[in-house]
Amino acid sequence: MKLHSIQMLRAVAALLVVGFHIRAVQADTRADLDNAPRDYSDWPLIENGYVGVDLFFVISGFVMVLVTRSSGWGLRASGMFLLSRSARIYPIWWLFAGIMTAYMIVTYGAVNTGDGGWADLAGSTSVSAYLAQSFALLPQQGYPVLGVGWTLIHEMYFYVVFAVTLLFARRWLWLFLLAWGAVTLGLVMSGQSRPLAVSLLSLAAHPMTLEFIAGSFAGLAVCSGRRIAPVTLAVLASVWLIAALAFTLPADQPGSLAGGLVAMTGHQFSITSGENWSTFVLEWGRVIVFCPPSALLVYAIASCEVDRKLPVSKSLAVVGDWSYALYLSHILVLVGIARLSPSLAAGPFFALVALPTCLVLAGITYTLVERPMMATFSRWRSRKLQANTNLPQPAPLATKIW
């Protein structure tokens, strides 16, 4: 079954990220025009919009449990799962990464000259090797050619490890998830974690993996009928998440939650200045602050829908359908507007122009590219399912047991 609640949460997550980048592009453009330092810190609810990624990761773990909740397991089931997830991720990624690559080649040529252009993206890596890593979504020294792709590197890692669980009977999934979380924590505490996944080891050690695992446990709870006080928990989780958005500030600002985390946790989470804010954003800080309310919200909202206690917003659910295309395309739209009209990007009406433009492009991409591709793959997969019943497929959700 398709849960509209999850699509609605996907829409919220995507819109949070878009809002975050709208504000970032606006702040950068204003600073360039005024020759002044960048200032991102006046609207915490927007500045912390990167939490949309944390919500996406939790949702991803939840969905992986939801779509594989059957007795099918084994090598064939695992391989079909990986193929299905790759077909979902790579084609649209290649589309927008390809657009960005074409822009870079037209603007800077196909060779890394060492001053700006490709050097800013690829560093000392050759352009061909850098693009190969980017398009394959492999760990690399910096961001992929389309920056938001760094999150997809984590997604593909999640899928690969989750596919391993499909080699075994579903009754062992909870134990596998616990072991995965323990290994991740052990790698983190041994100092292997980095803000960006620059290697397979630092990818395996990244604390954001715990968000995927938390979402998986939420999925196990909902699918098995362990749904308790969903409406109350949904309200609580919403208030918790909004409060985290509103009160999490850079550690060098008075009253910052990040500063409090430094005092509580010491060196591992040390954030002592604005320069280290990115470490908080890309590593442990965001997991501590935003993972618990995000996981609770996914669990509660999905439980509300299963128990038929959730009003569905069709408009929000549609944006949720577009969310992947929106996530990948919005940076191209925002930067394009800023290049064409810096005065508009720096002005107060930037969001009023940028957000609808991003949504229109996402809707077109979903309708003309993404949905037809998914339908074609779904038809092919259905034929395979009819031929082999030992493949992952949805099973009925358990009735409420407490």
Side-chain angles (χ1 to χ4, degrees), residues 49-314:
Y50 59 82
V51 71
V53 171
D54 304 88
L55 189 51
F56 269 131
F57 282 1
V58 172
I59 290 171
S60 184
F62 180 94
V63 170
M64 292 311 97
V65 171
L66 189 71
V67 301
T68 60
R69 62 188 191 281
S70 72
S71 58
W73 56 278
L75 188 60
R76 186 177 176 85
S78 179
M80 183 61 75
F81 169 80
L82 268 183
L83 181 60
S84 175
R85 299 321 301 172
S86 297
R88 181 75 179 91
I89 294 294
Y90 278 115
I92 305 300
W93 162 248
W94 289 335
L95 171 65
F96 289 109
I99 292 172
M100 184 63 184
T101 300
Y103 165 78
M104 291 294 293
I105 290 175
V106 169
T107 305
Y108 300 104
V111 178
N112 188 343
T113 58
D115 55 343
W118 285 111
D120 291 343
L121 293 178
S124 59
T125 308
S126 69
V127 172
S128 58
Y130 169 71
L131 288 177
Q133 291 174 326
S134 291
F135 277 74
L137 294 173
L138 296 174
Q140 52 202 274
Q141 293 304 308
Y143 290 94
V145 65
L146 183 61
V148 293
W150 73 269
T151 62
L152 301 184
I153 295 173
H154 288 271
E155 280 289 328
M156 291 310 300
Y157 166 68
F158 298 157
Y159 298 156
V160 169
V161 178
F162 196 84
V164 175
T165 73
L166 292 175
L167 297 173
F168 308 97
R170 295 289 78 198
R171 64 180 180 272
W172 302 113
L173 178 58
W174 67 274
L175 190 59
F176 187 98
L177 291 172
L178 281 177
W180 186 12
V183 169
T184 302
L185 278 173
L187 290 172
V188 170
M189 301 312 291
S190 67
Q192 302 301 322
S193 178
R194 300 289 183 274
L196 287 177
V198 299
S199 65
L200 288 175
L201 179 59
S202 60
L203 177 60
H206 204 287
M208 291 182 77
T209 297
L210 299 175
E211 297 179 329
F212 181 86
I213 295 172
S216 298
F217 274 114
L220 283 174
V222 171
C223 292
S224 63
R226 293 174 174 83
R227 302 185 292 273
I228 181 170
V231 176
T232 301
L233 288 181
V235 173
L236 244 141
S238 300
V239 172
W240 186 358
L241 187 58
I242 292 170
L245 283 166
F247 295 106
T248 302
L249 303 171
D252 54 359
Q253 291 195 17
S256 76
L257 181 55
L261 288 175
V262 172
M264 287 192 298
T265 57
H267 176 72
Q268 182 66 37
F269 314 104
S270 179
I271 306 160
T272 56
S273 70
E275 292 180 358
N276 291 325
W277 180 235
S278 63
T279 303
F280 178 89
V281 168
L282 288 172
E283 206 169 356
W284 256 115
R286 67 188 301 160
V287 175
I288 293 175
V289 175
F290 296 120
C291 177
S294 295
L296 185 62
L297 183 63
V298 170
Y299 166 78
I301 293 294
S303 296
C304 283
E305 182 176 1
V306 173
D307 292 344
R308 299 182 181 180
K309 298 176 180 178
L310 179 75
V312 173
S313 168
K314 292 184 178 179

Side-chain angles (χ1 to χ4, degrees), residues 7 22 45 51 77 178 203 221 239 274 282 296 300 311 332 353 366 370 392:
Q7 295 305 98
I22 285 175
L45 281 171
V51 71
L178 281 177
L203 177 60
V239 172
L282 288 172
L296 185 62
L332 299 175
V353 174
Y366 176 78
E370 187 175 358

Side-chain angles (χ1 to χ4, degrees), residues 329-401:
S329 64
H330 75 277
I331 285 292
L332 299 175
V333 172
L334 300 181
V335 174
I337 293 174
R339 292 290 177 88
L340 292 172
S341 179
S343 58
L344 172 61
F349 301 109
F350 179 41
L352 297 180
V353 174
L355 182 57
T357 306
C358 291
L359 288 171
V360 168
L361 178 59
I364 292 172
T365 302
Y366 176 78
T367 302
L368 299 183
V369 182
E370 187 175 358
R371 187 168 64 181
M373 285 194 312
M374 288 192 299
T376 300
F377 181 81
S378 180
R379 287 192 295 269
W380 175 84
R381 186 175 183 273
S382 295
R383 290 195 296 269
K384 290 294 182 181
L385 283 172
Q386 290 173 3
N388 190 314
T389 58
N390 195 39
L391 296 179
Q393 51 189 309
L397 295 177
T399 56
K400 195 169 183 179
I401 64 171

